Amino acid sequence: MATQALLNFGNMSGKWLLSGVQYHKPKAMSQTTLHHVRYFRRVTDASKQTKSPFTSELTKPGPIHLTRLWKPLGFSIMFSSASIVGSAIWEYENIRARTQRLIHRFEFTRVRRTGWRATVHNWWNSLDEGKKLFVPICFINVLVFCAWRVPALQGTMLRYFCSNPNSSAMCWPMVLSTFSHYTILHLAANMFVLNSFSSPVVAALGKEQFLALYLTSGVMSNLVSYFYKTVFSRPGLSLGASGAIMGILSFACTQYPDSRLSIIFLPMYTFTADSAIKAMVCLDTIGCIMKWQFFDHAAHLGGAAWGIFWQKWGNAYIWQKREPILTFWHEFRGPPRSRS
């Protein structure tokens, strides 16, 4: 795991650090090398050896046929549509709940909390909407990170929490891999970015639309990664939230193009958010052309493209056209029950 950039988003009082990881099958070692490796293992303490689960993952040889991509393409469209519809319904339910609390505000009995419950309650209420959305997303990522440490779950994690166009499980890993991190540095870096940009983007979109953008960016970034790996016959495992985070970053940099960014260790050098996202896209484009293997540059480009699309057209022509969904759900839910 390595970092691409460490910047300070001055006007939003946030910082971002983008990272990604892509695992490829290591090259075969010669017989002499294997001999030395076996000898080294005999003389070292076996209890101190840590074996990565990726070393046992074998990628099927041969080219990947483009016809295999119809399934993930259809899944991406359906999942993205479901995410947008679900987020719109969540927005309706939040508005409905707030309205009911306002109407019956004198009927609720206040619960007096003491001790640690009061501390947690006060801490939660002190968070803005962006941080309240970040906390559960981060918690899910931490749970998945802990699951990687359970030996009995290694097969499941490799199958469903790593995206790979040559795997028998192609669809759900496009979602689950965006919550999957194997190293603590990878997890911390991506969560640092998400935490830094959650508040300003939620302030611009609302928490419901932010969640829709985050989920769809993750799926679309993996779809672009699948196409790249298939066209250039470069199968490999990918995991991490960097594709989804690139969607959030590109939206923020496009929404606030004149905001000043600076490298955190060199705050005297500043540049605009517009210049930053252009530089990131150029770097990932070069990575795809040069076939660099450490990062999943195609996934980064897919997430960035989706974030820019959402800022330019998605918000206006998709999210703002959600009234039929809200009307249907309102009629389906019916009037709220009266309190007796």
Side-chain angles (χ1 to χ4, degrees):
M1 157 34 193
T3 60
Q4 277 187 292
L6 183 58
L7 303 178
N8 179 38
F9 204 34
N11 288 4
M12 295 185 182
S13 299
K15 301 172 183 177
W16 60 279
L17 170 67
L18 179 64
S19 62
V21 64
Q22 182 179 10
Y23 182 83
H24 292 271
K25 182 182 175 183
K27 297 180 180 179
M29 292 184 291
S30 65
Q31 189 67 26
T32 304
T33 305
L34 290 174
H35 172 76
H36 287 297
V37 170
R38 286 195 296 267
Y39 176 78
F40 177 77
R41 288 178 178 174
R42 285 197 297 268
V43 299
T44 54
D45 185 3
S47 63
K48 296 182 180 179
Q49 300 298 319
T50 57
K51 183 180 180 181
S52 170
F54 302 105
T55 57
S56 60
E57 178 68 15
L58 297 178
T59 304
K60 297 178 182 179
I64 309 172
H65 298 288
L66 284 172
T67 54
R68 286 177 54 85
L69 297 181
W70 285 111
K71 188 175 181 179
L73 175 61
F75 176 82
S76 299
I77 296 173
M78 290 187 295
F79 181 83
S80 298
S81 301
S83 298
I84 296 170
V85 171
S87 297
I89 293 174
W90 182 34
E91 180 188 38
Y92 171 87
E93 292 295 334
N94 287 334
I95 296 174
R96 183 185 177 113
R98 286 195 297 268
T99 303
Q100 289 301 305
R101 285 197 298 268
L102 182 63
I103 295 174
H104 303 283
R105 61 186 180 278
F106 298 112
E107 300 179 14
F108 289 98
T109 303
R110 290 184 176 274
V111 179
R112 185 176 181 181
R113 298 176 176 85
T114 59
W116 68 269
R117 292 183 178 86
T119 302
V120 173
H121 178 74
N122 294 334
W123 167 77
W124 180 258
N125 288 336
S126 68
L127 301 177
D128 57 43
E129 291 297 325
K131 295 299 185 289
K132 287 181 179 179
L133 186 57
F134 163 76
V135 169
I137 294 177
C138 181
F139 181 71
I140 295 173
N141 279 269
V142 171
L143 285 182
V144 176
F145 171 78
C146 294
W148 276 107
R149 269 64 219 161
V150 181
L153 298 178
Q154 295 296 306
T156 301
M157 302 303 293
L158 285 169
R159 181 178 175 85
Y160 293 105
F161 287 84
C162 294
S163 62
N164 179 14
N166 214 16
S167 173
S168 57
M170 297 178 63
C171 294
W172 281 111
M174 299 174 71
V175 180
L176 299 178
S177 64
T178 61
F179 297 90
S180 179
H181 302 81
Y182 184 72
T183 66
I184 187 63
L185 182 60
H186 190 204
L187 173 65
N190 279 340
M191 292 304 100
F192 175 79
V193 181
L194 186 59
N195 178 60
S196 300
F197 275 81
S198 59
S199 294
V201 177
V202 167
L205 297 178
K207 61 182 180 181
E208 298 87 2
Q209 190 180 174
F210 176 95
L211 181 62
L213 175 60
Y214 184 82
L215 293 176
T216 54
S217 295
V219 172
M220 291 302 175
S221 66
N222 274 309
L223 180 64
V224 173
S225 176
Y226 277 9
F227 271 97
Y228 175 80
K229 293 176 182 178
T230 300
V231 170
F232 293 97
S233 299
R234 301 181 66 83
L237 304 179
S238 297
L239 69 162
S242 56
I245 292 173
M246 276 296 294
I248 302 298
L249 288 178
S250 61
F251 176 90
C253 292
T254 309
Q255 181 78 5
Y256 309 103
D258 297 325
S259 297
R260 303 301 298 181
L261 299 176
S262 63
I263 300 175
I264 190 171
F265 299 114
L266 299 172
M268 69 289 298
Y269 300 107
T270 63
F271 41 88
T272 64
D274 182 67
S275 300
I277 190 61
K278 289 178 180 177
M280 296 291 293
V281 169
C282 289
L283 179 62
D284 285 318
T285 301
I286 294 173
C288 288
I289 296 174
M290 301 299 294
K291 299 182 180 180
W292 294 342
Q293 298 185 12
F294 193 80
F295 294 103
D296 194 341
H297 295 281
H300 291 176
L301 288 176
W306 184 256
I308 295 172
F309 162 80
W310 194 263
Q311 195 279 332
K312 296 292 186 181
W313 299 282
N315 181 31
Y317 297 104
I318 298 178
W319 184 257
Q320 300 301 332
K321 306 295 183 181
R322 67 193 184 284
E323 183 178 353
I325 299 173
L326 300 177
T327 302
F328 168 80
W329 189 253
H330 176 72
E331 295 175 354
F332 175 79
R333 291 279 274 116
R337 296 179 181 178
S338 59
R339 295 176 180 270
S340 57

